[in-house]
Amino acid sequence: MSRLEAKKPALFISNPLTKETLSQSLSLLSGILKSCYGPAGRLKQLHNGVGGYVCTTSQSSAILSRLSVSHPVLSVLTASVQNHISRFSDCGLFTAVLCCSLIENFKSLNVASCTVVKISKHLLSLCMDYLKSEACGCRVSVDFGSLETLLCLVRSVLTSKPACMLNKPEVDHLTMLILKAFLSTVPCHVEANAVLGKCIIIPVKGRRVVDSSVLPGLLIETPEIQWAKPLAVKRTCSNLIKIALFCMSMSGDPFNPEEGTITVHHGISLEMAELNQLLNVGKQLVNDEVGLVVCQKVIHPSLKRYLKENHIMAVDRAGLSLMEPLSQMTGCKPIASVHSLSPSCYGSLKDVRVESFASKHFVHLIPHNTAVCSLILCNRNETAWDELKRACETAEHVLQLTIKEPLALLGGGCTETHLASYIRHKVRKTQDMDCSQTQYRLVANGFCRSLESVACSLNHDGGEVLTDMVYGHCWFVPSGFPSVSNWSDLVSKCGCGINGNTENLNWRLLQGQFGSPVIQGCLKDPSVKAADFLALDCFAAKCSGLQVALETANLILDISYVIKDQN
């Protein structure tokens, strides 16, 4: 027997923010996340210490789920950002980079943490009130009667994921497909309890991206398919295909002893009894004129053969993920027991076909009128496909959030610099905050510098980053030009693409000691309308990211002790 060791006392760490180890870890995490940010972000390869699968990505969802963070304070930060990603899918890196910058800037101030928290909450409320007001100059209304803004939203998501390895024609092709797939999930007739449909992503690896397509209904992969084309599927007198959906095993396996005991009389074969019961179900399906049987799990070969002899198509191993969209698409109720079979459980389909893509074979279930579709997603290799799948899911979620709140924010760093300029203009006025004006302006400057550092994180090539005094937008200068250059000759469009170099915008360096200068008057609103290409961000996701970043930073600033169990 091994010797028992005495329990070690818990480790108490007071004022963890003052410790050098946390500063180094925070700086390292911030550097990793900043280097991934934006369309020109650098890729990261992540794998565990014993080898195995290598993930190549720049997406926050993949990085944070695989990145091992040992410091408990940083675990709070990463958990908070991951929770935001689970709810909104987008703006994860924005949230994480902003949170790191806020912590670094706030803890460098000689201001009590309780005062910093109070002032920063006030600044956040100013930002949120401005973003939600009609006067907001960095907000775009999304018209679902026009495709331009929706295409910009989707294209912005795709181009911000460099590990997808997409060229412009591929981005344009996928943008149209994702929007087409999303619009097909929107119900034609809006009701009080309208529910969006489902888009199922079908993986096809090793093919060109432009081979991707969208089909109505569902595709179920069936590697052993041997049916002829066209399929001779039994139809009802109204020319419909009746479908039964089973969410139970139909393999005929004996009773599971873990579920209890069962008494079997001498001479009775439990296996034969199970099979006879399944065949009786098959006879009822034949009598009820069912043409298609889909089972989540396995169907016994004898039952399959019986159904095929009676012109009933049987598809098994459909998987749990397809149960809900199948039920939604066909109107059938999943059957959980052979004893609960009734005609009211059945649904119907318009047609069933066999489709082949690359070396894969599918059963294509075509509905009457439904909000379910299949996106056949192709990419050159497994790594690029995994990244593209995450990007497509994010784009779909962004569109779902936008249909609830039809707004978008300008991307390319312009919302961040515009908000920073707006806050600097607002704090010139005296605020009744139960603190000194110096403290108020110090915290406000740290808040604005944090927003501007997020915009600067989009620049990975060493060029200068500017902001203008008219709109408060962000401009990127190519590397290799001195800081005394005539900026008008070097920039053509701002980060989001809405403003061109057509007037005297009076640029200033953004990465200087004092950040962007104080605006003397209110910012001018640009003519906000969809251009050929605008960089746009999801309104709901970015507003949430702004709130989560500040609230998490305030929470971390307020930590006085870390108590760590050493056993």
Side-chain angles (χ1 to χ4, degrees):
M1 189 176 82
S2 61
R3 291 188 299 173
L4 298 175
E5 292 184 7
K7 291 189 69 174
K8 297 177 183 178
L11 177 64
F12 285 77
I13 305 173
S14 62
N15 299 318
L17 291 183
T18 63
K19 301 294 187 283
E20 185 65 24
T21 52
L22 176 60
S23 297
Q24 292 175 352
S25 298
L26 180 63
S27 178
L28 178 60
L29 177 63
S30 177
I32 291 172
L33 298 173
K34 283 181 178 180
S35 68
C36 296
Y37 192 46
R42 305 316 193 223
L43 304 185
K44 300 292 175 287
Q45 285 194 325
L46 301 136
H47 62 95
N48 58 36
V50 293
Y53 176 74
V54 177
C55 174
T56 303
T57 184
S58 65
Q59 295 192 43
S60 57
S61 58
I63 291 172
L64 294 178
S65 63
R66 292 170 172 83
L67 200 63
S68 177
V69 177
S70 58
H71 200 290
V73 172
L74 295 187
S75 296
V76 172
L77 192 158
T78 55
S80 182
V81 175
Q82 284 179 292
N83 182 58
H84 162 82
I85 295 169
S86 68
R87 293 169 54 222
F88 293 94
S89 298
D90 199 23
C91 296
L93 283 176
F94 163 79
T95 306
V97 170
L98 178 58
C99 186
C100 291
S101 297
L102 286 167
I103 295 170
E104 290 174 332
N105 280 309
F106 284 165
K107 78 184 184 74
S108 67
L109 304 176
N110 189 22
V111 180
S113 61
C114 58
T115 305
V116 172
V117 170
K118 180 169 58 178
I119 297 172
S120 62
K121 284 182 177 178
H122 170 71
L123 297 174
L124 175 63
S125 68
L126 289 179
C127 287
M128 297 309 298
D129 290 343
Y130 178 64
L131 290 173
K132 293 179 180 179
S133 70
E134 293 295 327
C136 180
C138 57
R139 200 178 76 173
V140 179
S141 295
V142 177
D143 179 12
F144 276 81
S146 174
L147 294 182
E148 283 82 1
T149 313
L150 295 172
L151 289 171
C152 287
L153 263 175
V154 177
R155 192 183 290 111
S156 298
V157 173
L158 294 178
T159 53
S160 67
K161 319 297 182 193
C164 296
M165 298 187 290
L166 302 176
N167 56 36
K168 188 179 183 304
E170 291 170 342
V171 170
D172 293 340
H173 179 69
L174 277 178
T175 298
M176 289 299 298
L177 284 186
I178 292 169
L179 186 55
K180 178 183 177 182
F182 169 73
L183 293 176
S184 69
T185 66
V186 180
C188 297
H189 306 289
V190 179
E191 302 173 357
N193 298 321
V195 178
L196 289 175
K198 298 283 184 182
C199 175
I200 308 300
I201 296 179
I202 308 297
V204 178
K205 301 168 187 177
R207 297 294 294 269
R208 301 181 306 161
V209 174
V210 292
D211 292 333
S212 303
S213 60
V214 173
L215 294 176
L218 274 179
L219 291 172
I220 303 177
E221 186 176 357
T222 52
E224 299 175 357
I225 191 166
Q226 294 178 352
W227 294 303
K229 299 180 183 181
L231 295 172
V233 183
K234 182 187 291 186
R235 295 176 179 267
T236 63
C237 55
S238 54
N239 202 32
L240 300 177
I241 298 173
K242 195 178 288 187
I243 175 174
L245 179 61
F246 290 88
C247 58
M248 51 171 277
S249 174
M250 303 181 76
S251 63
D253 291 337
F255 187 79
N256 187 355
E258 294 180 358
E259 298 176 358
T261 58
I262 185 170
T263 303
V264 181
H265 294 290
H266 180 70
I268 300 295
S269 170
L270 193 58
E271 289 80 1
M272 286 303 300
E274 288 278 351
L275 179 57
N276 289 333
Q277 192 173 41
L278 289 175
L279 292 175
N280 288 334
V281 170
K283 291 176 183 177
Q284 185 175 344
L285 294 171
V286 172
N287 294 334
D288 291 338
E289 296 185 308
V290 171
L292 173 65
V293 173
V294 178
C295 182
Q296 176 187 331
K297 300 181 180 180
V298 179
I299 299 178
H300 194 285
S302 297
L303 178 58
K304 265 189 176 180
R305 185 166 54 252
Y306 175 80
L307 294 174
K308 185 177 180 181
E309 290 171 353
N310 287 274
H311 307 291
I312 299 176
M313 181 186 294
V315 178
D316 60 354
R317 296 182 175 89
L320 178 62
S321 61
L322 292 183
M323 291 297 104
E324 184 184 349
L326 270 171
S327 178
Q328 183 180 2
M329 182 178 80
T330 61
C332 59
K333 300 174 184 176
I335 301 164
S337 170
V338 293
H339 303 291
S340 60
L341 193 62
S342 69
S344 62
C345 296
Y346 302 141
S348 63
L349 288 168
K350 180 181 178 182
D351 200 4
V352 178
R353 298 175 187 167
V354 173
E355 305 281 359
S356 297
F357 299 96
S359 59
K360 295 186 175 184
H361 304 284
F362 301 88
V363 174
H364 184 194
L365 310 184
I366 303 172
H368 303 285
N369 293 303
T370 186
V372 175
C373 69
S374 296
L375 170 60
I376 302 162
L377 188 61
C378 306
N379 211 340
R380 302 170 187 83
N381 55 60
E382 185 174 359
T383 298
W385 188 90
D386 290 341
E387 188 80 350
L388 184 57
K389 177 177 182 285
R390 284 190 290 266
C392 291
E393 289 172 340
T394 298
E396 184 190 10
H397 196 181
V398 163
L399 292 171
Q400 291 170 350
L401 293 168
T402 305
I403 204 171
K404 295 178 183 177
E405 197 167 13
L407 298 168
L409 290 174
L410 299 177
C414 290
T415 290
E416 290 86 342
T417 54
H418 183 87
L419 277 178
S421 297
Y422 172 78
I423 292 298
R424 283 200 166 92
H425 172 67
K426 293 290 287 186
V427 300
R428 292 174 63 235
K429 302 176 183 178
T430 304
Q431 303 288 336
D432 184 16
M433 285 292 298
D434 193 25
C435 63
S436 70
Q437 191 69 12
T438 301
Q439 289 175 325
Y440 183 68
R441 291 192 175 182
L442 278 172
V443 176
N445 186 57
F447 180 82
C448 294
R449 284 175 62 83
S450 299
L451 284 171
E452 291 162 351
S453 72
V454 177
C456 292
S457 299
L458 290 167
N459 179 26
H460 300 280
D461 299 318
E464 300 289 358
V465 183
L466 313 174
T467 185
D468 66 81
M469 295 284 285
V470 179
Y471 303 111
H473 280 218
C474 184
W475 303 73
F476 297 95
V477 180
S479 60
F481 294 96
S483 299
V484 294
S485 301
N486 184 0
W487 304 127
S488 299
D489 299 333
L490 302 178
V491 294
S492 57
K493 279 189 177 294
C494 65
C496 69
I498 202 168
N499 290 319
N501 180 15
T502 56
E503 55 184 304
N504 183 17
L505 298 178
N506 195 12
W507 289 287
R508 295 289 184 271
L509 281 173
L510 191 62
Q511 294 169 310
Q513 183 179 356
F514 301 104
S516 62
V518 176
I519 304 296
Q520 299 301 315
C522 288
L523 291 168
K524 183 178 176 182
D525 290 343
S527 176
V528 178
K529 61 181 180 179
D532 291 337
F533 174 72
L534 280 185
L536 296 179
D537 291 323
C538 175
F539 181 82
K542 197 143 199 176
C543 286
S544 170
L546 181 60
Q547 290 176 296
V548 168
L550 188 92
E551 290 168 0
T552 304
N554 285 344
L555 173 65
I556 290 173
L557 288 170
D558 222 16
I559 295 176
S560 299
Y561 285 93
V562 171
I563 304 171
K564 194 172 182 180
D565 186 7
Q566 300 187 91
N567 295 295

